[in-house]
Amino acid sequence: AIWAGVLGIPAESFGVEDNFFDLGGHSLRATILVSHIHKELEVKLPLADVFSNPTIRRLATAVKSRDPQRFITIPPAEKKDYYPLSSAQHRLYFMQRMDPTNNSYNMKNIFIIEGALDRTRLESVCRGLLDRHHSLRTAFVIAGKSPVQRALDHCSFEVDSFTGTENDVKGIVEGYIGPFDLAFPPLLRVGLVELAAERFVLMVVIHHIVSDGVSNDILIKDFWKLYNGEELTPLRIQYSDYAVWQETAEGRDMLARQEAFWLKEFPGTSPVLNLPLDFQRPAKRSFDGASRQFSLQATLTSALIDLARKEEVTLYMLMLAIFNVLLAKWSGVNDIVVGTGVAGRPHADTQTIIGMFVNVLPVRNTPSGDKSFRSFLQEVKHKTLAVFENQDYPFDRLVDKVGGHKDLSRNPIYDAVFQLQNTTTQASGAGGPREAGLMFSHYGFENDSATFDLLFEVRQSGEGLDVRIEYCTRLFAPATIDAVFGYFERIASAVTADPGSIIRKIDMVTEEEKEKILAKLHVSDEPMSIDFNF
C-alpha cells in the first residue's frame, strides 16, 4: 500500500518481485518511500536500502532486520504572533533583501487554458487555496534583529484580468512577473489573459520563499479538487509548525548528525570551477540570463535508460555523472562541485504542506581521467545517496562553516547546478480532469534570469529526454551553450556505447572544433600538437 501511494499506481498492478525503479521510482520517490515506511512501520531505513533491495520481498527482509525506531510526528506549534523562519527561508529572505528588484526567485507557471473557464469559480478556488495554505498569506518582517514570519488571518486577493492577442502574451507575461514585497502578502499572484471566447493564458507567480517544486504539484492537485467541488482533508500542521519543529531538540540533533558528514566533505575551502568564459566576469554577481532548449535523440535516450537499468543507478545519477565528466573536460580540473536540488521533505508529515523545503546542496565528485566511466558512475551513486541522507542540513550554515567563495561575483561553493525533472502533475500536457471541460498546456516562456552561472536541467516525459540549459548572459554566448549540449551528447553517446571507457579517452570535441582551436592557437609556422582528451 505504501508503494502504491508513493508510485501513484494501483497496488494490484505490481507484485512483490517487481522493481521499484522499473515501476517509476526515482531518488525523490525513494526518499518519500523511506519516510512513509518509518511512519507506518516505525522502522527507519537508510535510503541505500531501497537501492540495494528494490523489490517488496527484499525490502521487507531489510525492514525485519532493523531495530524499531519510533516515528515522532511534527506537532502543531503554540499559537504566537510570529514564528521563526526555516533554514531554507533564511537564505532566500536575505538574498531578496540585498536586491529587492530581483525577480529571479519568483516561480512562474504559465498555462494555456482552452474551454469554458468559470472565472468566478477560478477566483473562489484561489481564495480557498489561500485559506488552506497559510504560507501563501505569510508576511516576512523583522522583529528585534531577526526576520520572522506571520500568517495573516486574511488578506485581500483577486485574479487580475487582461485581454490581448497571441502576439501580446509575451509582453503581458513579462510585465506581470515583477518582484514581491515580502512584508505584504499574499506572495501569490494570479492573472488571466483572455485571448478568445474559450482560450486563455493563466499566469501564476509565487515567491520561492513560500513554495517549491513539490508545492506546485500539491497546489495543482488541490486546485482541481476545489474547482470540481470536492472536499479537502483538513491539514493537521502548516509550514510555520515545521519551522518551529526545526528548532526543537529533535531537529537540532538531526542537523548536528548531518553536519559531521558535510564538514568531512568540505574539510577546507571548496574548489572553484573556472570554466572558459566568453565575457569577463562582472565584479558583482549578475542574474541576467537566458535559456536554450534541446532534445536528446530517441536512440540515445533509450540507450541511457538501458544503461541506468543495467548499472543499477537512477537516470538522475547517470546524467549527473555525464555532466561531471563534461565539466571536468571543459574546465581542465577533476575536483568538481555541482549543486543539486533535493526535495528537503524526508519527514512524512511534510508531504502535503506548501512551503519552501527544497535545498540545493553541493555534490563533490572527482572524475579523474584515469578512472573508467563505470567505476566513476558507482562513485556518483554512493555520493548521491549520502547527500540525500543528509539533505536537511541548511546550505547557508554550510557556507558559514566552509567559507564558500569569497568572490562576490559567484554563488558560494558551486557555480553549476544539475537537476532532473521527472515529476508529473495534473497540469501537464493532458490537462486537468476531463469533466471540467478544460484543457491545460504549458505556455513556452523563456526565462530572462539566471540564478547560477550554469544550470543544466534534464526533463523526462514518457520515454523522451529534453535538456534546458539556463545560463548567465554576462558570462556565456548562446553559441557556447549550443556547443556545451553537443559535448554532453557526445559524452553520453560514448559511455552508452562503452561504459568501461577511460574518462581521459572520451572525446567530446568534434574534428571541426579541433581545427578551429588549432587555427586560433597557431601563431607560427611551427607544427603544434594538443592533447584534446584532457
Side-chain angles (χ1 to χ4, degrees), residues 434-498:
R434 298 289 181 181
E435 65 270 16
L438 300 173
M439 181 69 74
F440 268 56
S441 60
H442 286 282
Y443 172 78
F445 178 72
E446 185 175 342
N447 194 21
D448 61 354
S449 63
T451 311
F452 308 100
D453 288 4
L454 192 71
L455 184 147
F456 200 95
E457 179 184 80
V458 179
R459 290 184 176 271
Q460 184 178 14
S461 55
E463 294 299 312
L465 289 176
D466 297 321
V467 174
R468 185 179 73 89
I469 304 179
E470 184 181 289
Y471 62 100
C472 177
T473 53
R474 297 286 298 276
L475 303 178
F476 301 107
T480 297
I481 302 304
D482 292 346
V484 168
F485 175 72
Y487 298 156
F488 184 87
E489 203 169 31
R490 283 188 282 278
I491 296 170
S493 297
V495 300
T496 51
D498 181 10

Side-chain angles (χ1 to χ4, degrees), residues 150-220:
R150 177 168 65 95
L152 275 61
D153 292 332
H154 174 77
C155 59
S156 59
F157 175 85
E158 62 181 27
V159 174
D160 300 309
S161 296
F162 303 86
T163 57
T165 66
E166 301 282 351
N167 294 332
D168 300 325
V169 173
K170 186 174 185 295
I172 294 174
V173 171
E174 289 175 345
Y176 197 65
I177 303 171
F180 286 97
D181 186 332
L182 300 184
F184 295 95
L187 300 182
L188 163 72
R189 194 181 298 142
V190 180
L192 188 68
V193 185
E194 183 176 6
L195 302 176
E198 293 193 355
R199 183 172 173 81
F200 307 87
V201 172
L202 180 67
M203 304 177 291
V204 182
V205 186
I206 311 176
H207 198 282
H208 211 343
I209 200 168
V210 297
S211 187
D212 58 16
V214 175
S215 297
N216 269 352
D217 292 352
I218 297 169
L219 202 63
I220 290 168

Side-chain angles (χ1 to χ4, degrees), residues 95-200:
M95 290 296 291
Q96 187 68 70
R97 284 277 297 243
M98 286 172 61
D99 184 4
T101 63
N102 178 21
N103 63 12
S104 62
Y105 297 109
N106 287 4
M107 301 180 66
K108 303 167 279 287
N109 295 281
I110 316 298
F111 304 105
I112 297 288
I113 307 177
E114 295 178 289
L117 178 67
D118 187 330
R119 296 193 197 197
T120 302
R121 195 190 309 182
L122 171 66
E123 193 157 281
S124 174
V125 166
C126 290
R127 290 198 178 102
L129 293 173
L130 285 170
D131 290 340
R132 178 173 174 79
H133 298 285
H134 296 183
S135 296
L136 300 178
R137 46 186 166 87
T138 292
F140 295 85
V141 296
I142 297 291
K145 294 183 179 180
S146 302
V148 295
Q149 57 180 312
R150 177 168 65 95
L152 275 61
D153 292 332
H154 174 77
C155 59
S156 59
F157 175 85
E158 62 181 27
V159 174
D160 300 309
S161 296
F162 303 86
T163 57
T165 66
E166 301 282 351
N167 294 332
D168 300 325
V169 173
K170 186 174 185 295
I172 294 174
V173 171
E174 289 175 345
Y176 197 65
I177 303 171
F180 286 97
D181 186 332
L182 300 184
F184 295 95
L187 300 182
L188 163 72
R189 194 181 298 142
V190 180
L192 188 68
V193 185
E194 183 176 6
L195 302 176
E198 293 193 355
R199 183 172 173 81
F200 307 87

Side-chain angles (χ1 to χ4, degrees), residues 220-233:
I220 290 168
K221 290 174 184 175
D222 286 356
F223 174 91
W224 281 116
K225 287 180 179 179
L226 291 174
Y227 193 87
N228 286 296
E230 298 178 37
E231 290 288 330
L232 295 178
T233 304

Side-chain angles (χ1 to χ4, degrees), residues 10-62:
E12 59 271 17
S13 65
F14 58 89
V16 295
E17 300 292 355
D18 285 314
N19 188 296
F20 178 76
F21 300 99
D22 289 344
L23 293 171
H26 46 70
S27 301
L28 171 58
R29 285 177 175 160
T31 303
I32 297 172
L33 180 70
V34 296
S35 72
H36 281 284
I37 288 174
H38 188 198
K39 182 175 183 178
E40 298 296 330
L41 305 178
E42 298 216 321
V43 172
K44 189 170 178 59
L45 292 175
L47 188 60
D49 275 12
V50 180
F51 286 81
S52 56
N53 303 282
T55 68
I56 288 177
R57 187 182 299 281
R58 287 168 57 182
L59 199 58
T61 302

